[in-house]
Amino acid sequence: MRKTRALAAAGAAVAVLGVAAPVAVADGGRVPNPSNIVALPSVIARGGQLTITVDGCPNGGHATSNAFPRTNLTPVSGGNDAGRGGNDAGRGGMDAGGGGNDAGRGGHDTARGIATIHQDARPGSYDITVHCSGRSLTRPAAFTVIGGVRGGIGGSSTTGATPTDMAIGGSLVAAAVVGSGFFWMRRRAEKRI
């Protein structure tokens, strides 16, 4: 009886490992688990391009938000960026031989994509949801869309003078004429004495 239980437990363990092993080997032993969603710039105007970076997404995936269409995320390989040597390579700077700006992030199974914000997106904060290999992660208030400015019309939204503008201008001209008349009459009266 004891041998039967031990054999059954060993068989179950082998079955579990047998099912899980191909999945682990297919992904190089890495389990996709999206984390650390970064959206740059964090404040963006309508129509701008937003760079989305996520760690733990070795096979890529896609990102969604109400402010932009579905955007594909492609894996960032640490090997390709390491060959470039960074911005300061050969100058003795901090990145010399360090493998570039993305070399450290490539080890975290990083994926990146560029999304274009809708022209009609309302100003405010937006969430980003990332989908990688069947797993999802949402970062609330990941970036903020700001409204555009009304450039070229000087802050005005009407053409020409309004009736109120005409009334104010007319009263100022009338006050200037009356004031000039009093001043002229007074000066004239002083000369007679």
Side-chain angles (χ1 to χ4, degrees):
M1 183 78 173
R2 288 182 188 211
K3 289 182 182 181
T4 308
R5 269 194 253 164
L7 266 169
V14 168
V16 168
L17 287 176
V19 171
V23 174
V25 171
D27 193 25
R30 299 175 293 188
V31 177
N33 190 18
S35 64
N36 192 29
I37 299 172
V38 178
L40 293 174
S42 60
V43 177
I44 190 166
R46 299 175 201 153
Q49 290 191 327
L50 183 73
T51 301
I52 303 162
T53 308
V54 61
D55 290 339
C57 201
N59 301 322
H62 66 274
T64 58
S65 176
N66 291 334
F68 57 81
R70 177 180 161 157
T71 301
N72 288 328
L73 301 173
T74 56
V76 176
S77 61
N80 291 342
D81 291 330
R84 286 191 286 206
N87 294 335
D88 292 333
R91 288 186 257 159
M94 289 178 58
D95 284 344
N101 294 335
D102 293 322
R105 296 182 68 80
H108 296 291
D109 300 327
T110 303
R112 179 177 298 137
I114 297 177
T116 302
I117 305 299
H118 293 302
Q119 289 290 341
D120 60 350
R122 292 179 173 249
S125 295
Y126 286 89
D127 302 345
I128 294 178
T129 300
V130 172
H131 306 276
C132 296
S133 302
R135 294 188 177 214
S136 298
L137 176 67
T138 300
R139 178 173 176 202
F143 65 99
T144 303
V145 174
I146 57 174
V149 295
R150 295 185 61 158
I153 58 175
S156 170
S157 59
T158 60
T159 342
T162 63
T164 306
D165 294 336
M166 295 297 285
I168 292 170
S171 63
L172 288 173
V173 169
V177 168
V178 170
S180 299
F182 281 129
F183 179 73
W184 183 66
M185 292 299 284
R186 187 168 162 225
R187 296 279 296 171
R188 194 170 166 207
E190 289 177 0
K191 286 184 180 179
R192 288 189 189 170
I193 300 181

